[in-house]
Amino acid sequence: MTTPSIPADDPAPEPPERPGDNQCCQSGCEPCIFDLYAEDMQAWRDDFRAWEVRQASRKAAG
């Protein structure tokens, strides 16, 4: 089993931009813009953890 190569240019993922409070219409729509933001934040956290693992692997490989 081979380990996928890590590209030399592997910047940290950027977190999603939080919607402004005035961007929510307050009508209870489903999904709310803040629900979508929460999903995007979770995806970013997962991506960031994976990035941290890649960085640790790169440092360990020296």
Side-chain angles (χ1 to χ4, degrees):
M1 182 173 160
T2 61
T3 304
S5 63
I6 300 169
D9 182 22
D10 187 21
E14 294 289 325
E17 187 173 329
R18 183 185 184 281
D21 291 335
N22 62 342
Q23 290 180 285
C24 176
C25 66
Q26 302 293 318
S27 68
C29 43
E30 187 64 39
C32 174
I33 193 169
F34 287 106
D35 296 332
L36 298 174
Y37 172 69
E39 290 174 9
D40 289 347
M41 278 300 295
Q42 186 57 53
W44 173 77
R45 285 183 195 102
D46 295 342
D47 291 346
F48 190 80
R49 284 186 202 108
W51 177 82
E52 288 179 315
V53 168
R54 289 192 307 274
Q55 297 308 303
S57 294
R58 178 177 290 166
K59 287 179 184 177

